[in-house]
Amino acid sequence: DADVTQTPRNRITKTGKRIMLECSQTKGHDRMYWYRQDPGLGLRLIYYSFDVKDINKGEISDGYSVSRQAQAKFSLSLESAIPNQTALYFCATSAGDLETGELFFGEGSRLTVL
Amino acid sequence: GQNIDQPTEMTATEGAIVQINCTYQTSGFNGLFWYQQHAGEAPTFLSYNVLDGLEEKGRFSSFLSRSKGYSYLLLKELQMKDSASYLCAVRDSNYQLIWGAGTKLIIKP
């Protein structure tokens, strides 16, 4: 089983709908992240959380919200989806700064907004 | 602004050696990462450099020159399974990762 699991893996929705992408991890890491990936662009950070009570905006947080329900769970919501939110979304985890801080990614959630 | 540059696409032959370059301009530096990403899959960690010099790990090596804002990933004895995108990322002074757009490596028989 994957250490970082994302659901759903694929989703097609319509403009204006509310969408939630869920992420759970068994790595025991405190730090969790949501990224989006678009063709020709680098990964862009949407939100990140260093522990259950810590939520931080990333580079492109507008139009998104998150919830850290537990150490192992971090969900991303699109309150009213729009077509330019069509992208591949990745959840990732990392250990603390004392280690290299390498990221462990989920398998991705491909979202299409029509 | 912060910027990571790497070639969009490279082609190499099975069994050969290829070098993928990455140049960066960031607000501070706290390490450089290389990740491999096969099409439609998650990125996976390849290497980490924080000091100048070469880090070798099997067929893959990564080099860093902080004074030049430059790194490269060297892949030896190329195999067809090495066909993937290679992502360069720099951790800045705020410990945030800045990502390049990735280099798509095509391996031909």
Side-chain angles (χ1 to χ4, degrees):
Chain A
D1 289 341
D3 293 325
V4 184
T5 303
Q6 293 182 227
T7 56
R9 294 290 313 281
N10 288 282
R11 181 73 184 268
I12 300 173
T13 191
K14 294 182 178 179
T15 297
K17 295 293 187 181
R18 185 178 187 273
I19 296 297
M20 179 181 286
L21 305 179
E22 297 184 335
C23 177
S24 63
Q25 53 114 346
T26 58
K27 297 195 73 66
H29 289 162
D30 286 327
R31 301 183 175 200
M32 298 187 73
Y33 310 78
W34 276 104
Y35 284 93
R36 69 176 276 176
Q37 187 174 44
D38 298 274
L41 298 178
L43 287 162
R44 291 185 291 169
L45 184 62
I46 306 171
Y47 271 95
Y48 62 102
S49 169
F50 283 177
D51 65 45
V52 175
K53 297 181 179 180
D54 176 71
I55 300 290
N56 303 281
K57 292 182 177 181
E59 180 186 355
I60 53 163
S61 59
D62 287 350
Y64 301 95
S65 63
V66 290
S67 174
R68 185 80 184 265
Q69 301 96 323
Q71 187 209 33
K73 296 183 181 296
F74 192 37
S75 59
L76 176 71
S77 294
L78 288 69
E79 296 301 324
S80 180
I82 56 177
N84 76 1
Q85 291 177 314
T86 293
L88 183 57
Y89 290 84
F90 286 105
C91 174
T93 73
S94 72
D97 283 341
L98 294 179
E99 301 183 25
T100 63
E102 68 179 271
L103 295 173
F104 296 86
F105 287 86
E107 295 170 312
S109 297
R110 185 168 296 280
L111 176 66
T112 302
V113 184
L114 302 176
Chain B
Q2 307 202 87
N3 193 51
I4 310 286
D5 284 319
Q6 39 180 144
T8 301
E9 186 174 297
M10 299 181 70
T11 302
T13 304
E14 189 177 15
I17 299 173
V18 70
Q19 178 175 310
I20 302 174
N21 295 326
C22 171
T23 59
Y24 62 89
Q25 293 176 305
T26 57
S27 302
F29 179 85
N30 281 295
L32 184 143
F33 297 81
W34 284 96
Y35 284 79
Q36 180 189 59
Q37 185 179 23
H38 285 100
E41 298 183 7
T44 55
F45 171 79
L46 283 178
S47 68
Y48 171 71
N49 295 68
V50 67
L51 299 176
D52 290 351
L54 189 68
E55 293 282 342
E56 297 186 80
K57 191 185 293 187
R59 294 188 298 114
F60 292 8
S61 303
S62 57
F63 171 83
L64 174 67
S65 169
R66 289 172 296 171
S67 63
K68 295 182 179 179
Y70 168 70
S71 172
Y72 67 72
L73 181 69
L74 191 72
L75 291 74
K76 302 176 184 177
E77 302 170 14
L78 286 170
Q79 302 176 10
M80 297 304 292
K81 68 178 182 180
D82 297 330
S83 292
S85 289
Y86 291 86
L87 314 181
C88 174
V90 173
R91 190 161 55 194
D92 69 11
S93 57
N94 293 318
Y95 279 80
Q96 296 300 318
L97 275 178
I98 312 301
W99 294 83
T103 298
K104 182 178 181 181
L105 178 63
I106 299 168
I107 309 297
K108 296 186 174 180

